Amino acid sequence: MLKIYGSALCPDCVKCKEALEQANVPFVYLSITESLLALKQFLKLRENKEEFAPVRERGQIGIPCILDEEGNLSFTWDQYLN
């Protein structure tokens, strides 16, 4: 099952969540602004995954952050809508 790290304060996270719900894609949504545990998990990913390097360089947060069962990380959700 997909894990999505995001925030209701982020318009892209809201769009991602709505699109996956409409497509009946199973996922767990982890709000980094409502849960310190989710924030800690996200920060660990952000610090250790090389996919975040360009995100950090641009001064962005990196959400929505989608993590699949194999540990692959993505910042877009279109590929999961099929």
Side-chain angles (χ1 to χ4, degrees):
M1 182 177 305
L2 298 177
K3 282 186 182 180
I4 302 175
Y5 292 92
S7 169
L9 303 173
C10 167
D12 288 334
C13 295
V14 173
K15 289 177 190 174
C16 172
K17 188 177 176 187
E18 289 174 354
L20 293 174
E21 285 173 344
Q22 289 176 358
N24 293 316
V25 176
F27 65 92
V28 174
Y29 188 82
L30 302 160
S31 174
I32 65 169
T33 51
E34 294 179 14
S35 166
L36 285 178
L37 177 60
L39 177 59
K40 287 179 182 181
Q41 291 171 347
F42 172 74
L43 290 175
K44 186 174 181 180
L45 284 174
R46 192 174 188 276
E47 291 171 6
N48 296 307
K49 289 280 200 173
E50 64 185 58
E51 292 93 337
F52 276 101
V55 172
R56 289 190 306 266
E57 289 172 11
R58 291 189 302 264
Q60 297 174 319
I61 298 170
I63 55 175
C65 171
I66 303 169
L67 190 65
D68 70 16
E69 298 87 6
E70 290 88 35
N72 299 311
L73 189 103
S74 177
F75 303 106
T76 61
W77 58 90
D78 292 340
Q79 67 268 29
Y80 300 107
L81 298 178
N82 298 336

